[in-house]
Structure formats: structure tokens, C-alpha cells
Amino acid sequence: MRTTLALLAMLAATPVLAQPASTQPAGPSATQAPQQQPPHPGAPEVQAPVPEAGAGRGAPGAGQVPATTEPGRTTPAQQPVAPQQPAAAAPTPAPAQPAPAPFGDRGQPDAAELELMATLRGERISGRISIPNQTAANLIQPAGRSWREYHNVTLAWVGGIAVLGMLAILAVFYFTRGRIRMEHGYSGRTITRFNILERANHWMVASCFIILGLSGLNLTFGRHLLLPIIGPEAFTALSTWGKLAHNFLAFPFTLGIVVMLLLWAKDNIPNKLDIVWFRMGGGLVGKGHPPAGRFNAGQKMVFWMTVIGGGLVAASGYLLVFPFTVTNIEGQQWAHMAHSLISVLMIAGILAHIYIGSLGMEHAFDAMGSGQVDINWARDHHSLWVEEELAKARATVAKGAKAAGAD
Amino acid sequence: MARMKFLCDSDRCIECNACVTACKNEHEVPWGINRRRVVTINDGKPGERSISMACMHCTDAPCAAVCPVSCFYTTADAIVLHDKDLCIGCGYCFYACPFGAPQYPRVGNFGGRGKMDKCTYCAGGPQADNTLVEYTQYGANRIAEGKLPLCAEMCSTKALLAGDSDMIATIYRERVQKRGYGSGAWGWRTAYRETLGA
Ligand code: HEM
Ligand code: SF4
Ligand code: SF4
């Protein structure tokens, strides 16, 4: 320690000995000959770090340092040269020169600092480019690494847990609660629950959703689950078809969401009955059937999830289908993150919907299948709606007419 | 084996775009695709610098990590290449790449963007070396001929360096030491978690 200090003191005092110092990343003060002009205030940040490697070749002793070709760029590494030159006849260049002109870029942070700053601030390093593709003007976008983290880790975990978790919950539900049976059996009299337009639209949305969902999940999980089984060629063929299907089925899906909104929104406005429905556990966990209109609170939730979630998924999806038309790289990354996150959550939600509409509840499927439901089923699940429908039917029957089968 | 990298000494780059032109010509890269480009930051202001950028052939490459069909592979020289026969053109590698390297022949068209194309470090692709199929899909394979990437080879100011990491880093450090300044190795921190010159 003491020897180092002594050495440093010597270095500071005798410029001749300063040469070895240039091989170490020492501060400018150590190499600065006392009689020399201090460099411009902006300079030391760039000048200070003199790299270690290759020091020998670039040593000032070589005598070829082009110190005079760029007057604004004299450096501490070069300055100690002067007193050391054997040909002392030549005037020492450094003191003769005026103070280095302020040289703008010397105070600038270097590449590594800029990249670190951009990473920490979530910014991009971009500039001007002379080709028409302005997206290429981004030099470095460190956010790509966060997007990778999201895609490979976050999405995989959230998606995996949401989908598998929901399947597990449904399985548990099925094996404990069992299928919800019709309490009063079939009456044999039916009532129209969904007309042909409503059913056609529902199945258009549903079939699109299933293919969109499967082809989407294929992009997230396919390479881990399918690729090892079917091999790269077959997996690419499948994924290409999946992607084509995903991109084109987006249009009927969106149309269906809009039609759905127009057809069913009025029956899905939340009201006081929904609170009762939730309190009674929706008739799923508790006993007895809470009163409900055309749609109960659970169905309303599915409806709004589909319409709002589907709308957001469609909007973000179109940003992805037409990349960089509306937004930039950051927007594309956000669009993808919103799209895939909402999608996997929706898939989980729709799995529950599929369960209750098929396996989970007796006769429920017919509402969307044939469109006709038994009046007993309708009374159990949608008591108020049945009342309304019957009242409507009575009102349209001509006065004095007898109900069918009344005589 | 070597660890191939690019290094652009932005204190030397004069934004002549010769590297861009050389690349397009050598590989007959179609219109709209730029495997290499020159970006000028702080244009017209103090600290103006031009940086020639292409695929950096990252360590633990993000593009490879996110590709849904896993079509990337890394050569023994650490060059990141991909198989166009497997690519589905989803665009994910572009979202993950910190340097905007992946390029697509079409933009829009209902998501049909065509097979991704990017700088191959003049190392072709998975097809047999220097065959016509390889040339059509990926361009020239200079590495197989024992040559370095053309962009760097013909850079008039030798701003753009290509070669083994240690060698180009040494050259750059010597330069910095000799002239006393250097703005560092652009992209190295992001691509290799490594910095030079500071
Ligand atoms: C309505 C319109 C929709 C549009 C325009 C759309 C568009 C897209 C696009 C362009 C991608 C990027 C990959 C590719 O190019 O194929 C994508 C990914 C994805 N989409 Fe959709 N999509 C839509 C609906 C849906 C729906 C309804 C679901 C779910 C049921 C879904 C689930 C997914 C998933 C999970 C991914 C992949 C996430 C990943 O691993 O990165 N999408 N979508
Ligand atoms: S620069 Fe981009 S394309 Fe090249 S290896 Fe890195 S992430 Fe992949
Ligand atoms: S565009 Fe091609 S190479 Fe890039 S992530 Fe998609 S499939 Fe992979």
C-alpha cells in the first residue's frame, strides 16, 4: 500500500515516469502533467478510462500519435509524451496549443451507459435513418428483453395456471356436486329460448373462439407440447394453418361479438336480482333456484366477459394482424401482451361456460341446440323470464280465443 | 472455435451506407428488407454518431427464445441462424430482438408477413453450404469460404469490425487508447452483457 502511494506521488511529480500510468485506467489527474492545460470540463468522462488490453502497442512512446491532426482531441494519454520525447529539440506540443475547443460529443455518455439508461428508463435509443422504413430508426430497444420474459415466463405461467386450474376446478365440481338435474322432470311442453339468429350467431362466435383459442395456445405452448411429438416439419405446417385460421377467423369472430351485443345486451343489464342470485350461490352450490329473468347473474357475467374481453382481444388482435400500421414497437408489444393475457383468462372463463352448458347441467344444451327448452327447466332457471313470455303470449292471443287443448 | 461478433466504432462511421449496399448486393436482398442499416443518433446536434447495425448474434438470443416454432440454431462460431422452411412469419422475433434485426418480406396483408429474413453473418443457412437453394433462401455463405462478412470487410473507414470477439475487442481497445476517446461498443451490453472501452 505504501509503495503504491509512493509510486503515485512520483507519477504526479515526474511526467517522465507518467508513461506506465497510461497502461492503467487511472484518472486524468494521475497522468496530467502539472504545467499542462486542463482538458475541457466535458472531457474526463471519456478520457479517463484507458483500456488495459493492447496497451503496449498503443503506447505513446511509439511517437506516432497523431496529436496534431485533431487539435480538439488531445488526450491525457498523449500529453505525457511530450516531455518524454528524446528529441528534446522539438517544442513540446501540448503547452503550445490553445485549450481544446469544446467538443460536444466528448461529454456524452458512451454506448454502454446509454444502453443501461435506456433499459432502466424503458426507453429506446433511436435516431434518423435514410431508408423509408422508419421502424428501423430504432437502434436499440432493450424492452425486447422484458417482452421475452413476459412471453416465455409470465404468459406461460398465467396461461397454464388459468387453463389447467379451471379444468381442475371443474373436475372437482363435477365429482362433488355432480350434474345438475332437472328437479321436476320433463313436462313435455317447450318454450322457445333462442331463435335461429341467436343460435347461429352463438355458434359462429363459439367455433371461431375455439379455433382462435387453440391456434393461439399453440403459439404459447405448442413448441413444448406438440413440437417434440410431431416433429418440426409437421409442427410448422400445423402452426402455419393455425396462424392463417387465427388471422382470418378474427373477422367472423368480431362480427359475432357485435351481433351478440346488439341481440342480448338489453337482457344482460345488471339489476337487484343479481345480488340475490349471488347470495344464493347461483343455485350451483346452494339449494333452490334463485329467481332470474332471461339471463341470470352468472350468464350476465359470461356475456360481459365475452363482449368486453372479446372486444379488447379483437382490438389488440387487429393491431397485431396489421403490424406497425397504427403503432410502433412498444405499442406492438403492449398489444401482444394485452391480447394474449386477456385471451388466456377468457379461455379459462369460457371453459366454465362450456362445462355448465353441456356436462354440468341437464337440458341446458338444448337452449342453444334446438332453441327449445322444457317449460319446467325454464321455470326453475329463469322464472321471471317464463312469466314474461307467457304474459306476452297471452296478450297476443285474440280475446275469446281458447287456449289450445282447453276443450 | 471463435465467438463471432460485430463491432461498430461510431467515431469512425461516416454514414456512407456502403455496408448496407454491400449486404444487399452480396445476398441479393429484396426491396424493403434491410439486414443492415445505419442509424444516426443526435443528428445535427453535439454527440452525433452514426452506427451501423444488423443482427448482433446475441448470447442467449431473445429471438430464438421466443420463436413459437423454435426454428433458430447457433453455429459453432456463435452465429445465430434460422430455418426459413420452419418459420411461420409470426413476427415474435422482431418484438423480442433488441436491435430490430428480423425483417419480413411483406407487412400487413392479414398477418401474412412471409418468412423472416435477417443478417446471417454471411453464413448462409441450414441448407448445404454454397448451394443454389442456400443462396436463394439466405444469400452468400462467405464463412464457409473462410471469409468474414462483406459489410465489415469493405468498410472504407474500418468502422465496422467483424470477427472473433477477442480480436475485434483488442483492435477497438487499441484504437481507443491511441486516439484517447471512444464511445464504446454499441449493443454489446444488450447483446452480450459485456462492455468495452470503459
Ligand atoms: C378477434 C380477433 C382476433 C385477432 C385479430 C387475433 C389476432 C392475433 C394475432 C395477429 C396474434 C399473433 C400471432 C399470429 O400472427 O398468429 C394472436 C395471438 C394470440 N391470440 Fe389472437 N386474435 C383474435 C382473437 C383471439 C381469441 C378470441 C383468442 C382466444 C380465445 C386469441 C388467443 C390468442 C393467443 C393465446 C395468442 C398467442 C399468444 C402467444 O403465445 O404469444 N385470439 N392473435
Ligand atoms: S440481434 Fe436480434 S435477431 Fe440477432 S440474435 Fe439478437 S435477438 Fe436474434
Ligand atoms: S417470425 Fe419466424 S423466426 Fe421469427 S419468431 Fe416467428 S416463426 Fe420464429
Side-chain angles (χ1 to χ4, degrees):
Chain A
M1 185 65 209
R2 196 171 292 163
T3 48
T4 329
L5 278 177
L7 194 73
L8 277 174
M10 278 164 67
L11 289 179
T14 53
V16 183
L17 279 176
Q19 190 200 338
S22 66
T23 60
Q24 288 159 5
S29 56
T31 50
Q32 202 79 53
Q35 80 275 26
Q36 281 166 351
Q37 294 270 8
H40 183 265
E45 278 143 276
V46 184
Q47 294 169 339
V50 180
E52 295 157 330
R57 283 224 261 150
Q64 298 166 345
V65 185
T68 49
T69 54
E70 289 176 282
R73 288 185 164 184
T74 47
T75 70
Q78 293 160 5
Q79 283 159 357
V81 172
Q84 203 232 352
Q85 293 283 322
T92 44
Q97 276 171 1
F103 202 88
D105 68 331
R106 296 172 88 196
Q108 302 280 326
D110 72 0
E113 284 171 63
L114 275 179
E115 282 169 50
L116 183 63
M117 270 170 6
T119 311
L120 296 178
R121 293 182 186 157
E123 288 169 355
R124 292 180 297 280
I125 304 177
S126 42
R128 178 184 59 75
I129 191 140
S130 50
I131 54 174
N133 177 9
Q134 286 309 305
T135 307
N138 287 324
L139 183 68
I140 303 176
Q141 57 109 10
R145 288 196 178 266
S146 333
W147 184 82
R148 163 191 178 167
E149 179 76 8
Y150 165 81
H151 179 267
N152 283 12
V153 183
T154 317
L155 177 62
W157 277 102
V158 173
I161 291 176
V163 172
L164 295 179
M166 182 54 82
L167 286 176
I169 291 171
L170 293 176
V172 168
F173 193 76
Y174 180 72
F175 288 114
T176 52
R177 175 72 160 84
R179 197 169 197 214
I180 300 171
R181 295 273 165 202
M182 275 175 59
E183 259 164 55
H184 310 289
Y186 287 89
S187 72
R189 283 175 69 205
T190 60
I191 177 171
T192 304
R193 180 139 170 81
F194 294 114
N195 66 30
I196 183 74
L197 174 66
E198 291 170 311
R199 280 177 288 140
N201 188 58
H202 173 271
W203 289 116
M204 177 171 80
V205 171
S207 46
C208 288
F209 186 90
I210 291 170
I211 299 173
L212 286 165
L214 287 177
S215 54
L217 289 177
N218 180 50
L219 291 183
T220 321
F221 299 108
R223 60 181 170 157
H224 307 300
L225 302 178
L226 272 180
L227 178 60
I229 302 172
I230 63 176
E233 280 79 23
F235 183 68
T236 281
L238 182 84
S239 303
T240 307
W241 282 108
K243 194 178 119 62
L244 277 173
H246 201 97
N247 294 347
F248 281 94
L249 289 181
F251 296 94
F253 176 80
T254 316
L255 175 71
I257 293 287
V258 173
V259 174
M260 212 173 244
L261 183 73
L262 297 177
L263 285 176
W264 291 338
K266 64 177 192 317
D267 297 317
N268 276 291
I269 295 162
N271 58 28
K272 275 193 215 112
L273 279 177
D274 299 332
I275 302 167
V276 181
W277 189 89
F278 278 116
R279 231 180 253 146
M280 291 181 66
L284 294 170
V285 275
K287 276 260 167 272
H289 295 285
R294 188 165 191 217
F295 296 110
N296 64 36
Q299 289 169 316
K300 286 179 186 175
M301 281 189 352
V302 172
F303 175 81
W304 291 114
M305 179 193 78
T306 309
V307 169
I308 296 172
L312 291 173
V313 160
S316 54
Y318 289 125
L319 291 179
L320 295 172
V321 167
F322 302 101
F324 301 100
T325 32
V326 183
T327 177
N328 59 9
I329 177 74
E330 192 183 0
Q332 289 295 126
Q333 288 165 336
W334 279 109
H336 171 273
M337 293 195 277
H339 184 80
S340 48
L341 196 68
I342 301 171
S343 291
V344 291
L345 298 179
M346 264 180 85
I347 291 171
I350 291 295
L351 280 175
H353 170 72
I354 294 173
Y355 168 80
I356 205 74
S358 56
L359 208 60
M361 184 184 287
E362 189 178 2
H363 198 44
F365 187 84
D366 294 300
M368 216 31 103
S370 64
Q372 304 292 318
V373 290
D374 195 276
I375 205 99
N376 282 355
W377 183 92
R379 281 220 167 90
D380 279 351
H381 297 283
H382 302 280
S383 46
L384 300 175
W385 171 70
V386 175
E387 297 302 315
E388 252 172 59
E389 289 297 303
L390 292 181
K392 256 192 254 166
R394 274 184 218 110
T396 52
V397 172
K399 276 217 174 76
K402 287 176 182 165
D407 36 20
Chain B
M1 269 299 176
R3 199 308 176 202
M4 294 300 190
K5 284 179 187 170
F6 283 119
L7 198 167
C8 182
D9 183 349
S10 63
D11 297 287
R12 281 188 175 217
C13 178
I14 56 171
E15 203 209 349
C16 69
N17 279 293
C19 48
V20 177
T21 315
C23 174
K24 294 208 86 157
N25 191 55
E26 177 74 354
H27 306 294
E28 296 188 14
V29 180
W31 274 106
I33 291 188
N34 287 281
R35 291 183 175 185
R36 180 168 282 288
R37 66 196 194 279
V38 180
V39 178
T40 303
I41 61 171
N42 296 325
D43 188 26
K45 292 194 262 300
E48 172 176 322
R49 285 199 175 90
S50 293
I51 299 120
S52 173
M53 182 61 83
C55 171
M56 292 289 281
H57 302 275
C58 304
T59 304
D60 181 22
C63 53
V66 299
C67 176
V69 293
S70 295
C71 73
F72 288 86
Y73 63 100
T74 305
T75 70
D77 295 323
I79 299 169
V80 178
L81 298 179
H82 73 295
D83 188 339
K84 286 195 184 184
D85 290 335
L86 297 180
C87 168
I88 60 169
C90 66
Y92 283 10
C93 45
F94 190 90
Y95 300 154
C97 174
F99 307 103
Q103 304 283 303
Y104 303 89
R106 295 189 296 274
V107 177
N109 189 16
F110 295 169
R113 312 180 73 185
K115 309 277 185 193
M116 186 274 276
D117 186 270
K118 74 167 186 68
C119 158
T120 63
Y121 207 87
C122 287
Q127 309 282 5
D129 286 347
N130 289 316
T131 51
L132 185 62
V133 270
E134 186 190 47
Y135 187 79
T136 334
Q137 274 188 307
Y138 307 95
N141 190 340
R142 292 170 53 89
I143 293 289
E145 296 168 347
K147 300 174 188 159
L148 284 170
L150 190 64
C151 50
E153 290 289 272
M154 57 82 60
C155 174
S156 57
T157 61
K158 288 283 164 274
L160 187 60
L161 303 173
D164 178 61
S165 176
D166 291 341
M167 283 164 86
I168 59 174
T170 304
I171 293 172
Y172 180 70
R173 283 199 182 99
E174 283 175 10
R175 280 185 189 176
V176 172
Q177 190 180 39
K178 217 166 196 175
R179 63 188 183 202
Y181 56 88
S183 57
W186 292 89
W188 278 42
R189 170 171 233 143
T190 309
Y192 319 121
R193 303 196 185 279
E194 188 182 329
T195 58
L196 273 192

